[in-house]
Amino acid sequence: MYTELCEAIRQKHSFVIISHYRPDGDAIGSTLALGLTLLALGKEVQMWNEDPCPARYGFLEGSNLLQPVPPALPHGVDCFICVDTGDVVRIGDAGKARFNEAPFTVNIDHHHTNTMYADLNVVKGGEAACGCMIAELITALGADLSRPIAEALYAAISTDTGSFQFNSTTPQVMRTAAALIEAGVDVGDINRRIWQEHPMSVFTMQREVLNHMEIEENGALSHYSMPAGKKAQLGVGMEDCKDLVDYIRGWEGVKAAVIFEDMENGVIRVSLRSKDPRIDVSAIAKEHGGGGHAMASGIRMRGTLEVCREKVLNSLRRELRKIA
């Protein structure tokens, strides 16, 4: 499936690589792995994101190359690649504007809700991580798998599989991980950096969520709502709020979990997770203008926290009652 993309990469010289705003490990790892590969092939490469690289991934080589989206597409760029992005709106307004200015666009993604928005769409819906696809692309290009590239790919795949705990962790995913370890990844060190070291502000936010989460539907649904101003009150930042939904999903008996966050700009950020394959949260997200995976999805909604929360909770309640 990479033949046309490999040919485009060989023919073109100047690339932009971007992923979705509020980047996670797969977004950062896929961006860096592809960017470092193209640099090694002698290409000109710029790597962008609307938001800064999260501190937990700052140890990855090349993370310092990640730049904000500029006010215009730089002269000479002939290929604009989006990775790990199911819909072009998720690269942000400035990113979308630069995307529309580009002469040739590529969409490399693993979300089955992908909207096929580019000139060339390389989409493998249901793949465990976009990092798995980038690893396959590197092999198809015949490029070297250096240690920094392998570390970026390991970060991508590890984070999107929940440290290889999710059902998406297939034998092929483990074979890919093994190849990355053979390329020089220090598993103990990289897992410590990603999973075991956090600033106190992260624990402050976790305590807030655990103290104020709500459980309903006979224990099958957990949720927490973060009102405007709460982050400032607690002294935490945007990065401290990542992965919070995974903590309330872990409650015994919970089948679906959701976090609502008032972004204080008229937008409510919704993070949905499922522990039961009968609850497809990507379908619920799509119902409200979002998307993602069957077990992990997200939405950005306009409206008040109260109204948006009830809309999404009612959808979850409906689906949970079907399987009760």
Side-chain angles (χ1 to χ4, degrees), residues 51-92:
D51 294 312
C53 178
R56 67 194 292 193
Y57 307 117
F59 71 94
L60 294 172
E61 188 168 318
S63 61
N64 60 308
L65 301 177
L66 199 66
Q67 300 296 318
V69 179
L73 188 72
H75 178 72
V77 169
D78 53 8
C79 188
F80 192 113
I81 303 177
C82 298
V83 296
D84 193 39
T85 304
D87 191 316
V88 71
V89 299
R90 298 203 67 226
I91 63 175

Side-chain angles (χ1 to χ4, degrees), residues 43-321:
K43 308 294 184 178
E44 291 183 358
V45 180
Q46 299 178 58
M47 292 178 272
W48 301 345
N49 200 283
E50 181 175 284
D51 294 312
C53 178
R56 67 194 292 193
Y57 307 117
F59 71 94
L60 294 172
E61 188 168 318
S63 61
N64 60 308
L65 301 177
L66 199 66
Q67 300 296 318
V69 179
L73 188 72
H75 178 72
V77 169
D78 53 8
C79 188
F80 192 113
I81 303 177
C82 298
V83 296
D84 193 39
T85 304
D87 191 316
V88 71
V89 299
R90 298 203 67 226
I91 63 175
D93 292 341
K96 185 179 177 183
R98 303 296 83 77
F99 176 91
N100 290 334
E101 294 165 1
F104 183 73
T105 58
V106 178
N107 161 27
I108 307 173
D109 186 46
H110 68 128
H111 296 90
H112 69 266
T113 55
N114 192 283
T115 59
M116 304 295 184
Y117 50 84
D119 297 318
L120 175 58
N121 298 289
V122 182
V123 176
K124 198 174 181 181
E127 181 60 87
C130 188
C132 292
M133 298 181 65
I134 301 300
E136 292 173 347
L137 173 60
I138 291 169
T139 298
L141 285 166
D144 291 334
L145 187 61
S146 66
R147 180 190 52 78
I149 293 171
E151 287 181 343
L153 290 173
Y154 187 92
I157 298 168
S158 173
T159 52
D160 244 33
T161 58
S163 192
F164 305 99
Q165 296 181 72
F166 299 162
N167 287 341
S168 58
T169 307
T170 63
Q172 181 55 47
V173 169
M174 299 307 288
R175 283 190 284 269
T176 300
L180 301 177
I181 295 169
E182 289 173 345
V185 170
D186 183 332
V187 174
D189 180 66
I190 197 168
N191 283 330
R192 174 182 59 80
R193 291 173 181 270
I194 294 174
W195 299 104
Q196 298 172 14
E197 292 187 351
H198 309 289
M200 187 60 199
S201 52
V202 168
F203 296 103
T204 298
M205 196 63 243
Q206 290 173 7
R207 180 176 59 195
E208 160 68 18
V209 171
L210 292 174
N211 282 340
H212 296 94
M213 64 184 285
E214 297 182 46
I215 300 283
E216 56 175 277
E217 294 299 311
N218 296 314
L221 174 60
S222 62
H223 57 92
Y224 167 80
S225 300
M226 186 191 304
K230 177 58 71 172
K231 290 196 293 290
Q233 178 187 337
L234 295 173
V236 303
M238 181 177 69
E239 189 176 335
D240 301 317
C241 300
K242 292 185 70 66
D243 305 323
L244 292 175
V245 69
D246 292 320
Y247 292 96
I248 64 172
R249 176 172 60 172
W251 202 273
E252 185 178 4
V254 165
K255 292 181 170 62
V258 56
I259 295 277
F260 300 92
E261 180 183 351
D262 191 329
M263 303 291 287
E264 305 177 29
N265 59 356
V267 173
I268 307 302
R269 179 175 178 262
V270 186
S271 299
L272 299 127
R273 297 292 186 271
S274 172
K275 280 198 312 192
D276 190 315
R278 294 174 295 176
I279 304 298
D280 182 351
V281 291
S282 70
I284 292 171
K286 187 175 182 180
E287 182 181 333
H288 298 286
H293 302 290
M295 307 293 277
S297 290
I299 317 167
R300 286 202 174 194
M301 305 174 69
R302 291 205 168 271
T304 66
L305 179 61
E306 293 75 16
V307 169
C308 293
R309 178 176 58 208
E310 283 310 301
K311 285 180 179 178
V312 175
L313 288 178
N314 282 335
S315 296
L316 286 165
R317 291 168 183 142
R318 179 194 68 218
E319 296 305 311
L320 287 164
R321 290 167 188 172

